[in-house]
Amino acid sequence: MIKTPYILFLGDAPDMLAAKVAIGIRDWRPENAIGQYRMEGCKADLGLTDMTLADAKAAGAKTLVIGVANRGGVISQAWKKVLVGALEEGFDLASGLHNLLRDEPDLVAVAEACGRSLHDVRVPEVEYPIANGEKRSGKRCLAVGTDCSVGKMYTALAMDAEMRAREMKCTFRPTGQTGILITGDGVPLDAVVADFMAGSVEWLTPDNDPDHWDLIEGQGSLFHVSYSGVTMALIHGGQPDALILCHEPTRDHMRGLPGYELPTLETLRDTALPLARVANPACKVVGVAVNTQNLSEVEARAYVEKVENEIGLPTTDPYRFGASKLVDALAQV
Amino acid sequence: MIKTPYILFLGDAPDMLAAKVAIGIRDWRPENAIGQYRMEGCKADLGLTDMTLADAKAAGAKTLVIGVANRGGVISQAWKKVLVGALEEGFDLASGLHNLLRDEPDLVAVAEACGRSLHDVRVPEVEYPIANGEKRSGKRCLAVGTDCSVGKMYTALAMDAEMRAREMKCTFRPTGQTGILITGDGVPLDAVVADFMAGSVEWLTPDNDPDHWDLIEGQGSLFHVSYSGVTMALIHGGQPDALILCHEPTRDHMRGLPGYELPTLETLRDTALPLARVANPACKVVGVAVNTQNLSEVEARAYVEKVENEIGLPTTDPYRFGASKLVDALAQV
């Protein structure tokens, strides 16, 4: 569990794209983003208050989150100076970088001396159980995709935002490093040992109030041969009551797999639903989320309408047009 | 890669059941089993020559394999004496125990001093790649089950034995610790990190001669919610050309999951085949292996015949009645 709120470290980001993680935090948990820390030459700007470490401390920030990708996979000396200063100022550090904070002896030594924590959210911090398949109370929704990176996380976050606005009981349950940094908690599922994958998802989505929804972040795709095992563990460990089908309509092959075609939304539905019903016989497919970022507004509206007519399920781009249609459908379950 | 042949360490096994791993080695790779080492009070006997460490050395054994489960999850001092002696005699050690050889400081120190290797086959020794889904040459057969522990490993090993007898080109590809100890090589799939599962199976079953068959050891079941992700990774990473359906007909629920019913063989076929065709559109279901160990001979023959008539696929218990029917079917693919 990462202590919130955060000061978002943007470092020397070469552009906005490099600050994807920080943007996610600002967009979906603005209450966690007290301000931004930018180094000389930083080309990203989240529109948050620029703060020194002392400013951030005074404003109540507890953790400095590395909200930017580093260049060349190395934590530079320029970054180190700020990170060491942050530990000394009393902040914990949190990072989703491939190269781990805990592998940097200077950061480890200073954190220890200052009594601070280093959170590498790519690495599981919990000993997860083996899944037991027992029925849990409360309800769960899982986004499954025709491919990887089709907007499953944004779909869950947009539904979470809409449900909060309606004062429905819900919790976004992250299963990847960006989601974990956004909320401060979750399971880095792609780094969990095979035998414990489904158990980690059960652990993440425990018993809850009967009218509470967990919105589980999806991973991979049943049709993506590199990661389908992770998706399968989410479908069985998550025991979803509701599935949302996610799709990006402009791909000509599966991400990173030339020669592999995307399945249709109908094939995804007919594959995922029977598998989900093994763990939860009441599971239903309740809607479709289309990622229209590569379409114009007119194209996007036409595509969404076409899908909705063909598959007969509430369909929208929840990021572009809002998630109310999907939440309406969920409220019926 | 564990050096063969082996001296099989039976320790102070309380009964034959405890020596399951050693029995597997004796039954399926008798050429790897030079002899057995039994301590005082050992109640297991494989019918192999009893040997001292010096005898085994003289007979050419390279590795002492712990072929027995230990009591209480502790490597006892009585065992330690033999294991240390074996290292000093020039043997490597190999083990599938939960508690690792590498976690015993005395064994580590002696192994280092003697220049010997400690193989804990529960722990991956390789950095596996992420699966790339590229089509590989050669053919692959995977056993998939209605449940865990229904005889998938024995099915693959029985087919391997029959194919060797016919001088067909084939390799048994272990994915669990018993299989790895039997052949000396493989992937401990349940211990691989999620992102690399399918890649480890690709690594295990590389390009080969067009008429060569890999017989891949199955794990878990698509219908077992604790382990289905591992099965999924085998189906996509393995790119099977042929599936064998495995079933144990006397279970009243999924192993370890009260309340979960086993699927029918037809449901298994209709679930596994479309998923397998994502990675290999030419994949076929070629036969059924029934584990009849809990049935009388008459019951077993009747059950096998009934299944064969119902599902219309070559069906047998390959351990009890031989695997020729399944190998005949494979030879048609």
Side-chain angles (χ1 to χ4, degrees), chain B residues 174-185:
Chain B
T175 60
Q177 60 261 12
T178 303
I180 295 171
L181 287 172
I182 289 174
T183 66
D185 205 3

Side-chain angles (χ1 to χ4, degrees), chain A residues 130-133 189-195 197-198 222-223 225-230 232-233 236 239 257 260 271 275 278-279, chain B residues 130-133 189-195 197-198 222-223 225-230 232-233 236 239 257 260 271 275 278-279:
Chain A
I130 286 179
N132 62 29
L189 189 56
D190 61 9
V192 172
V193 165
D195 248 4
M197 291 187 300
L222 287 172
F223 295 86
V225 297
S226 311
Y227 308 115
S228 52
V230 179
M232 190 72 253
H236 281 166
Q239 277 179 12
L257 300 176
Y260 282 81
T271 304
L275 289 168
V278 170
Chain B
I130 286 179
N132 62 30
L189 189 56
D190 61 10
V192 172
V193 164
D195 248 4
M197 292 188 300
L222 287 172
F223 295 87
V225 296
S226 310
Y227 308 116
S228 52
V230 179
M232 190 72 254
H236 282 167
Q239 276 179 11
L257 300 176
Y260 281 81
T271 305
L275 289 168
V278 170

Side-chain angles (χ1 to χ4, degrees), chain A residues 144 222-223 232 235-236 240 243 245 265-285, chain B residues 222-225 260 263 267-268 270-272 274-275:
Chain A
V144 293
L222 287 172
F223 295 86
M232 190 72 253
I235 289 174
H236 281 166
L243 296 175
L245 310 179
L265 282 161
E266 287 78 6
T267 299
L268 173 61
R269 175 195 63 198
D270 296 343
T271 304
L273 186 59
L275 289 168
R277 287 185 170 165
V278 170
N280 185 350
C283 185
K284 290 180 184 163
V285 176
Chain B
L222 287 172
F223 295 87
H224 195 294
V225 296
Y260 281 81
T267 300
L268 173 61
D270 296 343
T271 305
L275 289 168

Side-chain angles (χ1 to χ4, degrees), chain B residues 35-85:
Chain B
Q36 62 187 14
Y37 185 103
R38 303 196 298 158
M39 288 164 51
E40 210 179 293
C42 181
K43 300 284 198 305
D45 183 353
L46 302 185
L48 299 172
T49 310
D50 282 300
M51 291 184 174
T52 64
L53 294 172
D55 294 340
K57 189 76 190 166
K62 299 280 191 288
T63 302
L64 180 140
V65 171
I66 299 181
V68 58
N70 55 341
R71 307 186 202 195
V74 175
I75 300 178
S76 68
Q77 272 314 116
W79 279 30
K80 282 277 184 70
K81 201 173 151 190
V82 182
L83 302 182
V84 165

Side-chain angles (χ1 to χ4, degrees), chain B residues 249 290-307 315-317 320-321:
Chain B
V290 181
N291 174 349
T292 64
Q293 66 178 342
N294 295 321
L295 301 181
S296 71
E297 167 106 15
V298 172
E299 289 170 330
R301 292 200 183 274
Y303 186 83
V304 161
E305 199 186 320
K306 176 172 158 287
V307 168
T315 302
T316 190
D317 180 334
R320 190 171 199 167
F321 302 131

